[in-house]
Amino acid sequence: MAEKPKCALCGKDAIGFQSIGCSYLNVCEGHADSHILALIPGEKQSFGECFFFERFGATDT
């Protein structure tokens, strides 16, 4: 069984992945950008080439 992704900033279980400019991070609820918090599990959102947000689905964690 694969290990759950961890937040790159604090080590808690990650709820999603965010790419802002050159920063690529798995993040927990406390460190997630508001765009990730607004997504439903499994949803992705991008703005141009520099901003990408993905909320992990139930099977991803």
Side-chain angles (χ1 to χ4, degrees):
M1 185 166 142
E3 188 175 327
K4 291 183 178 185
K6 300 293 182 187
C7 178
L9 301 171
C10 70
K12 292 181 182 177
D13 288 344
I15 64 160
F17 172 82
Q18 64 188 32
S19 170
I20 301 174
C22 294
S23 174
Y24 306 92
L25 303 171
N26 284 327
V27 290
C28 66
E29 189 170 359
H31 289 110
D33 185 88
S34 61
H35 288 91
I36 290 180
L37 298 174
L39 298 175
I40 60 171
E43 189 175 17
K44 300 175 185 179
Q45 186 176 49
S46 65
F47 301 98
E49 296 179 10
C50 294
F51 299 95
F52 178 79
F53 305 96
E54 178 181 357
R55 179 104 185 221
F56 297 144
T59 59
D60 296 332
T61 58

